[in-house]
Amino acid sequence: MIGSAALLVAGCGPSGSQPASERSSSSSAAIAPDVPTGYDPCTQIPQNVLNDFQLHSSIPSENSANGTKWEGCQWVRSNWYGIAIQVTNATIDMIRDQHYQDTQEFTIGNRRAISSRQAPDHPMQQCTVNVEIKGGTLEFFLTNPADDSVGGNKNSCDMAREIANRVVPPLPSSI
């Protein structure tokens, strides 16, 4: 648990990478002034989802860098991985424009989504999945330490997508 939490908290930026606002000057011109409202990951992630993934120890997080903002919470799964689920004013287009390693676009429910490996120092252990919501995205930043005996060999993007696929479909279209 300590390794996962420490790695998650010790990321290089709010999403463990270069802040979205520093990613592209053309994209940052269209950035919303604040994080999307209407969804609070700290209180609105269904408890059954947290239980199913054995996520606990919620830690509120709020970060900003050069106009990009993140608000949400971080959880850990004991002796395995950590995940931050946050609303952010970073958009799918801003993330795509950065050409991060292993960037893939897809949909979850009827929403556009993108996954990318934004941490250059250990890209295979981290993955960021952003799902479009009004005013930005809902971001799932997962850190899966390679030295973990339980699941360090699992694909971090597959893991982040699995959690996003449980959280996002029930969201109302107004979000």
Side-chain angles (χ1 to χ4, degrees):
M1 177 172 137
I2 293 171
S4 297
L7 192 57
L8 183 63
V9 173
C12 299
S15 66
S17 65
Q18 180 183 12
S21 61
E22 294 177 4
R23 295 174 186 162
S24 171
S25 59
S26 63
S27 294
S28 63
I31 194 167
D34 209 346
V35 298
T37 58
Y39 188 76
D40 179 357
C42 296
T43 62
Q44 292 181 279
I45 302 285
Q47 187 61 49
N48 68 318
V49 172
L50 297 174
N51 293 344
D52 289 350
F53 289 101
Q54 299 175 26
L55 298 172
H56 60 85
S57 302
S58 173
I59 302 168
S61 61
E62 184 175 322
N63 300 294
S64 64
N66 300 319
T68 302
K69 298 177 181 180
W70 295 262
E71 288 181 13
C73 279
Q74 301 173 17
W75 290 267
V76 295
R77 179 169 177 174
S78 295
N79 300 318
W80 193 346
Y81 63 88
I83 187 164
I85 304 174
Q86 305 175 100
V87 290
T88 177
N89 56 349
T91 66
I92 299 288
D93 294 335
M94 289 171 63
I95 296 159
R96 182 188 341 95
D97 289 349
Q98 292 311 300
H99 306 287
Y100 289 114
Q101 182 178 341
D102 198 22
T103 297
Q104 298 179 20
E105 292 189 56
F106 53 97
T107 59
I108 294 180
N110 60 352
R111 296 173 191 264
R112 292 189 323 151
I114 191 167
S115 64
S116 56
R117 298 185 186 277
Q118 299 177 14
D121 51 344
H122 37 77
M124 300 314 287
Q125 286 76 48
Q126 296 181 337
C127 185
T128 305
V129 170
N130 290 78
V131 182
E132 191 168 55
I133 60 175
K134 292 187 180 182
T137 58
L138 181 59
E139 181 175 280
F140 299 79
F141 170 64
L142 189 132
T143 299
N144 183 32
D147 62 348
D148 189 300
S149 62
V150 176
N153 61 342
K154 294 196 178 219
N155 183 310
S156 58
C157 284
D158 290 346
M159 295 167 64
R161 282 177 73 160
E162 184 179 0
I163 295 170
N165 273 311
R166 288 286 307 279
V167 171
V168 173
L171 294 178
S173 60
S174 61
I175 295 175

